[in-house]
Every structure is written in C-alpha cells, then in structure tokens.
Amino acid sequence: MAKHRCAPARPRGRMAALALSVGVGATALTGTSLLAGPAAHAATTDIVGVSPATRQADAQLMLDEINRYRASLGVKPLKYSATLSRVVQRESDRQVAEERFSHSTRFLTDPRTGPWTSANEVIALEHHRDVRALVKWWKSSPAHDKAIRDPRHEVIGIGLTYADGRLQRTGQAWQVLSTVNLYGYAHGGAPADASTRVHGAPSHG
C-alpha cells in the first residue's frame, strides 16, 4: 500500500512533500494517516534494545543501499547526519509504541534540521529484521522512489526502531520500522555533522 501527500509550502519559500508509503513484509496495513494525536495504550515494551554497533551498522547499510541506487541513476550521494537522525528516531519509536504507522510534520519544523530548502519523509516496516528490504519497499513505490532519488536532497537522517514481533495491543509481527528524513540545503546550510559515513559503523568495502 502506498500513499503520497504534499505538505503545504512554508514561509520563506520552503517546500516539502510527505511520502506516505507503507511497506510490510507479510501483510498490508490499514489506517495510515497524518499524525492526529497520541494513541491509547502505547506499549514501549514492544521496543527491543540493540547495541549501538548494530544500529550504526544497519544505518550504514541503509545509507549504502540508497546511495548505490542513486549512483545508478547518476544522482549524487546523500550524507548522514546524527543530528537529523536524532530528530527522526523519536518518530520511529513513537510509531512502534503506539502500534500505529503514521507521519507527523515535526520533521518540517524541528529547529535542529536547520534552513532546509527541500524535505521528504518516508517510512517502511518489515516482519523480518532486514533493513535492505526497507529500501526495497521505497524503491517499489513511485512516491517513495521519487523521494529517495530526489537530486535536491543532500543529507539524510535515519531512525530505526526494533520490535519484538508480537505487538502488545494488536499482535502485529513488526520486527523493524524505519523513518527516514531527507533534506536539501542551500549555501552550506546542512548540519555540521553531515558525513559520508555513519560514525562507528564498520566498512563494507
């Protein structure tokens, strides 16, 4: 299932598009929506802790997969920002805790994102702990594909939340959910920590 929603233009010429796409490993989800408020019976106990090394390695794997795809299209690679990743990690955790696959508009207004000129958010989840499959979902959806290949975007924030595969309220078999924010900047406005690699991640080369 895939949906696409355009966010309204912001003051000072900022424009953004929200890619509302859902990819699941076994079944399609319903009820995907723009965030309206907290869901009842949030279950943070469904979130599984992983080591920093695992999280960094998975984020690097996603970055490599996306940049390999962009390179095949002649599009410049994205850089990774830990600052932007902290912004978006909250959104990934929220969705698992609420057991609700949904977007908010916080990535458009959080001051830590800086003076962006373009912005997109994409989300995917899997019933297996395979971050490559998340990128595959985005590539298979026109709205999400457009976002991850957009040549205006320069920097990415990656949020990864790992779940126990048996959500407390709905029983959904979620294993990993990723919310990714992509931003473009003008005149060197990108976060200072933007880097070609995820800090601490092993090299796959």
Side-chain angles (χ1 to χ4, degrees), residues 91-111:
E91 289 304 303
S92 283
D93 290 347
R94 171 187 62 76
Q95 291 170 80
V96 174
E98 294 178 358
E99 304 185 25
R100 187 162 62 112
F101 204 55
S102 61
H103 287 267
S104 83
T105 57
R106 294 190 184 101
F107 79 102
L108 299 174
T109 59
D110 192 299

Side-chain angles (χ1 to χ4, degrees), residues 107-199:
F107 79 102
L108 299 174
T109 59
D110 192 299
R112 290 173 292 179
T113 63
W116 51 264
T117 55
S118 63
N120 274 94
E121 179 176 276
V122 294
I123 307 170
L125 66 86
E126 264 290 321
H127 291 175
H128 304 89
R129 195 171 290 186
D130 181 2
V131 296
R132 291 185 183 92
L134 302 174
V135 179
K136 184 178 179 180
W137 278 113
W138 291 326
K139 289 165 62 177
S140 72
S141 160
H144 298 70
D145 181 63
K146 182 178 179 181
I148 64 173
R149 66 191 288 175
D150 193 328
R152 298 174 302 168
H153 299 330
E154 304 172 41
V155 189
I156 190 172
I158 299 173
L160 281 163
T161 304
Y162 304 85
D164 58 15
R166 52 184 187 280
L167 300 190
Q168 181 174 300
R169 182 167 52 85
T170 63
Q172 289 277 5
W174 297 9
Q175 289 279 353
V176 62
L177 184 149
S178 180
T179 306
V180 164
N181 291 347
L182 307 106
Y183 298 88
Y185 295 90
H187 311 300
D193 63 359
S195 172
T196 57
R197 292 195 58 77
V198 176
H199 177 71

Side-chain angles (χ1 to χ4, degrees), residues 59-106:
Q60 184 66 55
L61 189 56
M62 291 184 72
L63 178 66
D64 290 344
E65 288 286 307
I66 293 171
N67 278 340
R68 189 175 299 115
Y69 177 52
R70 286 170 66 95
S72 73
L73 301 170
V75 180
K76 66 182 179 182
L78 296 164
K79 292 184 177 180
Y80 172 88
S81 167
T83 297
L84 297 182
S85 296
R86 285 190 290 271
V87 172
V88 75
Q89 184 62 49
R90 174 183 174 184
E91 289 304 303
S92 283
D93 290 347
R94 171 187 62 76
Q95 291 170 80
V96 174
E98 294 178 358
E99 304 185 25
R100 187 162 62 112
F101 204 55
S102 61
H103 287 267
S104 83
T105 57
R106 294 190 184 101

Side-chain angles (χ1 to χ4, degrees), residues 50-60 129 160 162:
V50 299
S51 69
T54 294
R55 185 178 299 278
Q56 291 158 357
D58 281 350
Q60 184 66 55
R129 195 171 290 186
L160 281 163
Y162 304 85

